[in-house]
């Protein structure tokens, strides 16, 4: 069978291994498995969200509210913006796809960092958009501007904090960069981990209201999959000026957000105690990973998200590390697909992190 030739250039996105797979392959009890691979919140969803889901589950025979009125109202109040500046997606990555739809035309180009969220390139290739990458793994905005001047891309992706590395740009540096970009170039600020960045360092936090008031060509992406722990319901959002939102809505499929996601996201947004607890967990546990890395002479990347990346260099092969941990019931992320001999670990609960340290120490002792 003949398929779109553009697919020949696309590699499947590598997701974190599910717990069910580890159960099947290694016969480990599900309760003994720790998943630290996909940057999920180990605390689970807010109780307010769970209660809302229980109350709404009997209405699954009905289509969801396609206007998402209640959730948009909650988000507009949260960010002090108009509901007209919002679009919802089945995960924020669906909004990346929408952006590709509306900014893809002959000879389109998309600019991104050398090492960043893989879906930017996958969507670009799907639409026949040429991808331009900086030479630096991190977001070097001088390099970005140099490539921008050279290639004049129709889209620029800034992932801050950056997945899978964890580094984060200062807000003022981002704004100075945006000041130099033509108004016809769509700049996507992927803020999937912005709640953590702002909690760790207020110089890193980007306020979407300030962003769209100042720039007409920018869209900010947020998600409920990370700090709000709704990854299983797949819901994200984009914030931009009306012109951009109106264009994106033309390619948004009807009822793209399910009923349970709508109510769970709304209630999660109201639960400030839960949010603070989730952020505080990462802030308290992240230093333990830094200390572990230092004590074992492992290079690590300072992170402003809910994960940390260990660079293994010649110490060990990342795939062997991941396999060893997997056999012990611990799932982490191998970064070989990013051409890095590195592992990315989601910050878990205190007991989960202690078990990771214990098992990884046993591996290191064998070297």
């Amino acid at each position: 069978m003949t398929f779109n030739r553009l697919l020949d250039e696309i590699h499947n996105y590598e997701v974190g291994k599910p717990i069910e797979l580890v159960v099947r392959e290694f016969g480990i009890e599900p309760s003994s498995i720790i998943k630290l691979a996909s940057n999920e919140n180990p605390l689970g969803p807010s109780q307010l969200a769970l209660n809302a889901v229980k109350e709404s589950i009997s209405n699954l025979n009905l289509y969801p509210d396609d206007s998402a009125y209640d959730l948009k109202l909650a988000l507009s109040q949260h960010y002090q913006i108009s509901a007209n500046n919002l679009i919802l997606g089945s995960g924020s990555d669906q909004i990346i796809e929408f952006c590709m739809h509306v900014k893809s035309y002959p000879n389109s180009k998309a600019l991104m960092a050398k090492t960043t969220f893989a879906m930017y390139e996958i969507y670009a290739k799907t639409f026949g958009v040429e991808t331009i990458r900086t030479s630096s793994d991190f977001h070097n905005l001088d390099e970005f501007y140099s490539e921008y001047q050279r290639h004049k891309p129709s889209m620029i992706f800034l992932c801050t904090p950056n997945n899978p590395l964890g580094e984060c740009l200062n807000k003022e540096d981002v704004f100075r960069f945006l000041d130099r970009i033509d108004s016809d170039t769509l700049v996507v600020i992927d803020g999937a981990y912005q709640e953590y960045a702002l909690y760790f360092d207020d110089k890193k936090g980007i306020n979407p209201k300030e962003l769209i008031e100042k720039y007409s060509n920018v869209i900010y992406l947020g998600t409920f999959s990370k700090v709000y722990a709704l990854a299983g319901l797949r819901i994200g959002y984009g914030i931009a000026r009306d012109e951009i939102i109106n264009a994106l809505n033309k390619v948004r499929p009807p009822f793209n957000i399910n009923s349970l996601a709508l109510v769970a996201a709304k209630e999660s947004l109201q639960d400030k105690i839960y949010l603070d607890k989730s952020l505080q967990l990462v802030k308290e546990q992240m230093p333990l990973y830094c200390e572990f890395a230092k004590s074992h002479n492992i290079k690590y990347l300072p992170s402003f998200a809910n994960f940390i990346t260990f660079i293994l260099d010649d110490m060990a092969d990342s795939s062997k590390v991941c396999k060893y941990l997997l056999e012990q019931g611990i799932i982490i992320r191998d970064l070989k697909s990013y051409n890095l001999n590195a592992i990315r670990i989601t910050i878990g609960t205190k007991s989960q992190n202690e078990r990771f340290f214990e098992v990884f120490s046993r591996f290191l002792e064998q070297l």
Side-chain angles (χ1 to χ4, degrees):
M1 182 178 291
T2 302
F3 296 103
N4 188 329
R5 60 181 178 79
L6 294 174
L7 298 179
D8 296 339
E9 303 297 321
I10 297 173
H11 298 287
N12 290 350
Y13 180 78
E14 183 179 326
V15 300
K17 288 182 171 57
I19 289 174
E20 293 81 1
L21 182 146
V22 181
V23 171
R24 290 194 302 269
E25 288 194 4
F26 301 103
I28 301 173
E29 286 294 319
S31 59
S32 301
I33 297 170
I34 297 174
K35 188 182 180 192
L36 303 175
S38 300
N39 307 336
E40 297 144 332
N41 185 338
L43 298 181
S46 156
Q47 189 59 51
L48 294 182
L50 293 175
N51 292 343
V53 167
K54 289 176 184 176
E55 291 174 6
S56 301
I57 204 161
S58 62
N59 296 322
L60 295 186
N61 59 309
L62 303 176
Y63 283 110
D65 172 14
D66 191 56
S67 73
Y69 177 84
D70 289 338
L71 177 55
K72 284 186 178 180
L73 178 61
L75 281 166
S76 67
Q77 292 172 343
H78 180 77
Y79 286 114
Q80 294 299 296
I81 59 173
S82 167
N84 293 329
N85 298 129
L86 284 159
I87 187 169
L88 302 182
S90 180
S92 56
D93 51 329
Q94 187 181 41
I95 303 171
I96 297 170
E97 182 182 10
F98 297 163
C99 291
M100 286 291 175
H101 267 292
V102 303
K103 289 295 288 183
S104 297
Y105 29 75
N107 303 316
S108 291
K109 298 177 183 179
L111 173 61
M112 61 199 72
K114 177 184 174 184
T115 302
T116 192
F117 185 42
M119 289 307 299
Y120 305 149
E121 182 175 57
I122 290 174
Y123 280 129
K125 288 183 174 179
T126 301
F127 286 89
V129 174
E130 180 183 353
T131 56
I132 309 299
R133 291 183 178 269
T134 61
S135 58
S136 299
D137 287 304
F138 297 139
H139 281 67
N140 182 319
L141 292 180
D142 288 335
E143 282 187 29
F144 264 84
Y145 188 66
S146 177
E147 295 298 330
Y148 161 75
Q149 287 185 304
R150 180 182 173 192
H151 295 281
K152 298 301 180 184
S154 59
M155 286 169 282
I156 299 174
F157 290 91
L158 300 180
C159 188
T160 180
N162 187 22
N163 177 25
L165 301 181
E167 110 268 6
C168 189
L169 294 164
N170 286 332
K171 183 196 81 169
E172 294 304 323
D173 293 334
V174 172
F175 279 33
R176 277 194 291 268
F177 173 76
L178 293 174
D179 287 338
R180 301 194 289 173
I181 303 302
D182 182 88
S183 61
D184 194 49
T185 300
L186 179 62
V187 182
V188 180
I189 308 291
D190 191 340
Y193 302 92
Q194 266 288 313
E195 289 89 354
Y196 297 102
L198 179 61
Y199 196 75
F200 298 155
D201 185 346
D202 58 12
K203 294 193 299 296
K204 307 292 185 183
I206 294 176
N207 183 331
K209 175 181 170 65
E210 183 182 2
L211 189 69
I212 67 170
E213 284 179 346
K214 194 166 185 181
Y215 304 103
S216 63
N217 61 325
V218 177
I219 182 167
Y220 173 95
L221 303 184
T223 183
F224 288 93
S225 294
K226 304 306 177 185
V227 73
Y228 290 107
L230 297 179
L233 289 177
R234 306 301 296 124
I235 180 164
Y237 54 91
I239 300 174
R241 289 198 188 176
D242 296 19
E243 180 186 22
I244 295 174
I245 298 299
N246 291 340
L248 298 179
N249 269 319
K250 291 181 179 181
V251 298
R252 180 184 66 85
F255 310 116
N256 64 317
I257 308 300
N258 71 73
S259 302
L260 302 185
L262 288 173
V263 296
K266 174 181 175 291
E267 293 304 318
S268 296
L269 206 60
Q270 317 296 334
D271 197 341
K272 309 301 182 186
I273 295 174
Y274 166 84
L275 176 64
D276 188 69
K277 183 179 179 181
S278 298
L279 294 168
Q280 187 61 31
L281 170 69
V282 176
K283 190 172 185 178
E284 289 176 353
Q285 294 296 308
M286 180 77 77
L288 302 181
Y289 277 88
C290 301
E291 293 166 12
F292 178 89
K294 290 175 184 175
S295 66
H296 291 84
N297 296 313
I298 299 171
K299 186 189 301 182
Y300 69 93
L301 303 178
S303 175
F304 292 87
N306 67 334
F307 58 84
I308 190 167
T309 296
F310 286 179
I311 306 294
L312 301 180
D313 289 331
D314 297 328
M315 174 179 288
D317 180 84
S318 62
S319 297
K320 291 181 179 179
V321 172
C322 291
K323 184 175 183 296
Y324 179 87
L325 290 168
L326 198 62
E327 291 170 348
Q328 309 303 312
I330 300 176
I331 312 170
I332 62 170
R333 183 65 183 272
D334 184 3
L335 297 185
K336 276 287 177 63
S337 61
Y338 288 89
N339 296 315
L340 294 172
N341 185 35
I343 56 176
R344 190 192 68 192
I345 312 105
T346 305
I347 307 302
T349 63
K350 184 175 184 292
S351 61
Q352 289 175 334
N353 298 330
E354 287 174 348
R355 185 169 163 209
F356 169 80
F357 298 144
E358 176 190 349
V359 175
F360 191 29
S361 294
R362 290 205 300 266
F363 175 88
L364 295 172
E365 288 168 3
Q366 301 173 12
L367 300 178

